[in-house]
Structure formats: C-alpha cells, structure tokens
Amino acid sequence: MKVLVIGGGAREHALCRSLSLDPDVTALHCAPGNAGIAEVAELHAVDALDGAAVAELAASLRADLVVVGPEAPLVAGVADAVRERGIPAFGPSAQAAQLEGSKAFAKDVMAAAGVPTARAYVCTTPAEIDEALDAFGAPYVVKDDGLAAGKGVVVTSDLAVAREHALACERVVIEEFLDGPEVSLFAITDGETVLPLSPAQDFKRALDGDEGPNTGGMGAYSPLPWADPKLVDEVMETVLRPTVDELRRRGTPFSGLLYAGLAITSRGVRVIEFNARFGDPETQVVLARLKTPLASVLLNASTGNLAAEPPLRWSDGAAVTVVIASHNYPGTPRTGDVIEGLPEASGAGASEKAPKAYVLHAGTALDADGRVVSAGGRVLSVTATGADLATARGRAYELVSRIRLDGSHHRTDIAAKAASA
C-alpha cells in the first residue's frame, strides 16, 4: 500500500511513524512534512489547503490512501477533492468537518442527537454576549465559533477578559463551565461502524499545575488508571454512535476520526467539544500503545469496510508525551533556534525494534547548514512507553533532559498525578 499523509506536525509524525512500522505499507509519503518526518517518509512540497494540488500529488504518486492530518484542510474540503479523483481518503467531508469547524453546528448536532453537553448560547452581538455572560456567571467559558488552532477558547473568572475575547470573535459560543477531569476519546468511523480507541488525557495549560494560558497541548498520557472501566462503552452509546447516526441522517455522513473532548462531571459525562481529526498531543500516546497495524484500519474506514476490521489490539503498558515548546509560546514563538541533543535522542533505544523513548517533530525545519531548528510554537513531542505510567514518564523526562533548545519550556508534571495514584 502506498500512503500519503497530509500535514507537518507531531501528530503527522506519529501517524507516519506508525505507518512506517506497518508491513503492508510499501511506500510512505508526507506533504509538507518536517525534519523528523523526513526520516521515515519521502517529503513533498504542497499547499495542504489546496484540494486540487493535494489530489494531483496523490494521483501522481499513485497513492492507495491519503490521510489528512490537520483540521484546516478537512474544513477546506481537501478529503473531498482526493475522493473525487477516485483515491480513498481518511478524513471527513468539508460538510461533516463542520463538527469541528463550527462549534454552533456541533451544538446543533448534539441537540438533535440527544448528546449530553454544556448549555450554551451562540452570540453575534455585544448585547447577546453580555446576556450570555450574565446568565452563566464565572468561571466564563468563551469559544470562537470557528477554527483557532487550539487557542480559540478562554476559560476565566475575569469578566473583562471573557468579554474582550468574545467581542474579538465574529461569532462566539458562550457556555456553562463543566467541572471534573477531562478525557479525550478518539473513534475511527466509516459513517456507520464506530471503532473506539484507547482514552487519553492531555494538558492544555502552558505551565505546571494547570496554570498559564491555554495552548494546543503540552503533553498527554494513556491509559487512564483512574477512569471508570465502563467509560468507553458509555461514551460509545451516549456520544459517538448518536453523533455518527445523526450526521448520516442529515445526509452528511462522517468518515474518518471523530474526537470527543469530554468532561467527567458530577452529573455524568458531558461533551466539551468535537474535533474532526486525530488530536495533538494525544495521538502520540494513543498510537504508541496501538499494536494493530494502522494502514488497513484507516483504509477500511475510508472505503466503508470498517465492520470487517477485527477488534483493535493494545499494549498492556502506558505511554507519556512531553511537549517541548519554543520561547514565548503560546504567544508569538521565537523560531530558528538550533535544537541540540537530537542525534542522541533519536538514537535512544535504536538497537531495539521498538524504542522505549523517541522524539516526534512538531515545529522543526532544516537550516542552510542542515541543522534542525525550531520552526513553530510546539517544537517536539518526546514520547515514551513503559510497563506503567511511572516508568513511561521517567523515560520521557530523561530524554527531555538530553535535548537543548535555547529559551524553550516544558511542563514537568505531565501524568505525575496519575502515575502516583
């Protein structure tokens, strides 16, 4: 099978890594990719938002499967353009991707499907904003209706900050605050069959102790030793299947990766948000534990044959990812800094078929001298596996300690609480 992955972050590096280990994959391509992905896939220059260009590239490579990683190309209809050329694409249509592209659309789908979620108001005027903020009170949850690269949500007890963020959005969703721990649950679907993956938890705040501004995610771990063993079954019955069924009923079937961001509240499971693609950094830990070869699962989802897929197989151990971010992230990040320690880091456990700790590149590039430099806010996802969370966590942080990036920062408490429980 020849596979083309679209995107250039750590999520795509995790996907490419898993696909490169799949014996069914005879050729692996990525566009545009990054410095780390170049080690496992052939890179191609392409505008990931240009459906025609992506489809043309896939056709020229004679790809058997195209995997669209990021949300923006999905909302732009890139998967549709690939399918129109007769090539299977893993990723929802532009219409179905509105589940992530518009939070108001997602709320409407959830209401029709009876999916439990936070009460919310969709606002377009200052008067509506003030009324909604007053109705819910602090802490305020204010979400840009559209895509905002993980930075469109503000949770604050400061009314002025909440109002400022709301007014900066063309259309905004203001909703009640949901208490309790958060869980990310991915499901692969062909529009009918729904195949859940293993739950994960990510860390959105920039600083230890869940302090600081929201980011795209500073780390993650899987599995969740504290979660109810029945959680996946419950979410399948109350959230994932009803949502997939409702989108099919509307004539916009969802095929690809459905990501449910959940809050385990005192009143039960509630959906915080839906995403239409693999999450970052949760993908890094979920795929690290997946033993089933990935390519056939994604292809079966893309061709409506997921019902034929046998149950997924998982390792009994745990996985932890720690994100190394560039100076000033999540503000305007500094780029172009040389990353040192990567040759040793990349080689950690290289004598083993499956290293226990490795580096996935997110925002990296090669400079004129061939050195790996920072090229974004989140630069690296240092990922490790182990028999338990404590072991995986120790391996991840040991590898982090060997990497040097001037001005960088990372959280030191990823999975700490769960590992000590």
Side-chain angles (χ1 to χ4, degrees):
M1 191 188 305
K2 295 179 182 177
V3 183
L4 169 63
V5 176
I6 302 301
R11 162 186 48 226
E12 287 76 34
H13 194 175
L15 286 164
C16 285
R17 180 182 182 273
S18 290
L19 290 165
S20 73
L21 297 173
D22 188 332
D24 286 340
V25 176
T26 54
L28 181 59
H29 303 268
C30 186
N34 61 38
I37 295 174
E39 297 177 4
V40 294
E42 183 180 344
L43 302 190
H44 304 268
V46 76
D47 179 355
L49 296 174
D50 186 337
V54 171
E56 183 58 37
L57 174 62
S60 70
L61 295 172
R62 297 186 178 180
D64 300 298
L65 173 66
V66 175
V67 180
V68 183
E71 60 272 23
L74 290 168
V75 172
V78 168
D80 303 85
V82 172
R83 279 189 282 264
E84 285 168 9
R85 291 291 291 268
I87 302 168
F90 183 81
S93 66
Q95 283 186 302
Q98 284 302 304
L99 202 61
E100 177 171 4
S102 168
K103 292 176 178 63
F105 175 78
K107 288 291 187 184
D108 185 63
V109 170
M110 284 188 273
V115 170
T117 187
R119 293 180 297 121
Y121 292 102
V122 179
C123 309
T124 56
T125 68
E128 290 174 346
I129 289 168
D130 290 338
E131 184 180 344
L133 292 171
D134 183 60
F136 288 130
Y140 305 100
V141 181
V142 184
K143 299 181 175 182
D144 191 330
D145 179 57
L147 295 179
K151 300 174 192 172
V153 179
V154 165
V155 181
T156 179
S157 293
D158 188 323
L159 177 59
V161 171
R163 191 170 190 273
E164 180 184 18
H165 183 68
L167 290 171
C169 303
E170 192 171 315
R171 187 159 74 150
V172 66
V173 175
I174 297 173
E175 62 184 40
E176 66 175 329
F177 176 77
L178 296 174
D179 64 318
E182 295 185 13
V183 173
S184 300
L185 184 60
F186 302 164
I188 293 173
T189 178
D190 59 5
E192 291 200 18
T193 300
V194 182
L195 199 62
L197 304 187
S198 183
Q201 186 176 62
D202 76 331
F203 295 75
K204 284 283 191 284
R205 298 285 186 170
L207 307 175
D208 285 3
D210 290 329
E211 300 290 336
N214 261 347
T215 71
M218 294 298 291
Y221 69 94
S222 177
L224 312 181
W226 50 267
D228 187 329
K230 298 177 182 175
L231 175 64
V232 173
D233 290 340
E234 179 186 349
V235 175
M236 279 285 287
E237 294 307 314
T238 63
V239 175
L240 297 170
R241 281 201 185 99
T243 300
V244 170
D245 290 346
E246 172 62 20
L247 286 166
R248 188 174 65 250
R249 186 191 67 78
R250 292 177 177 219
T252 56
F254 188 104
S255 168
L257 194 289
L258 179 56
Y259 164 155
L262 310 164
I264 313 301
T265 77
S266 55
R267 294 169 293 148
V269 174
R270 297 288 186 274
V271 175
I272 300 170
E273 65 176 355
F274 280 124
N275 290 327
R277 38 71 193 179
F278 280 101
D280 183 343
E282 299 97 322
T283 299
Q284 289 86 302
V285 292
V286 172
L287 292 186
R289 297 186 54 238
L290 180 64
K291 294 175 71 174
T292 300
L294 186 61
S296 68
V297 182
L298 302 186
L299 181 63
N300 282 335
S302 306
T303 55
N305 295 312
L306 200 57
E309 187 68 34
L312 298 178
R313 295 180 293 113
W314 299 92
S315 72
D316 294 328
V320 173
T321 282
V322 180
V323 170
I324 297 178
S326 57
H327 176 71
N328 201 43
Y329 177 79
T332 303
R334 191 174 78 203
T335 59
D337 289 310
V338 175
I339 306 168
E340 298 178 313
L342 279 179
E344 313 96 86
S346 297
S351 60
E352 305 169 60
K353 187 174 181 181
K356 301 292 192 295
Y358 48 90
V359 178
L360 298 169
H361 290 231
T364 67
L366 295 177
D367 69 6
D369 297 320
R371 299 175 301 180
V372 180
V373 297
S374 59
R378 293 187 293 172
V379 181
L380 303 168
S381 283
V382 179
T383 304
T385 58
D388 51 39
L389 280 174
T391 303
R393 188 173 182 276
R395 286 173 176 159
Y397 278 106
E398 195 278 329
L399 189 45
V400 167
S401 72
R402 292 156 55 185
I403 296 169
R404 295 172 298 283
L405 172 61
D406 186 47
S408 68
H409 64 98
H410 64 272
R411 284 184 57 160
T412 65
D413 62 347
I414 302 300
K417 187 176 178 182
S420 61

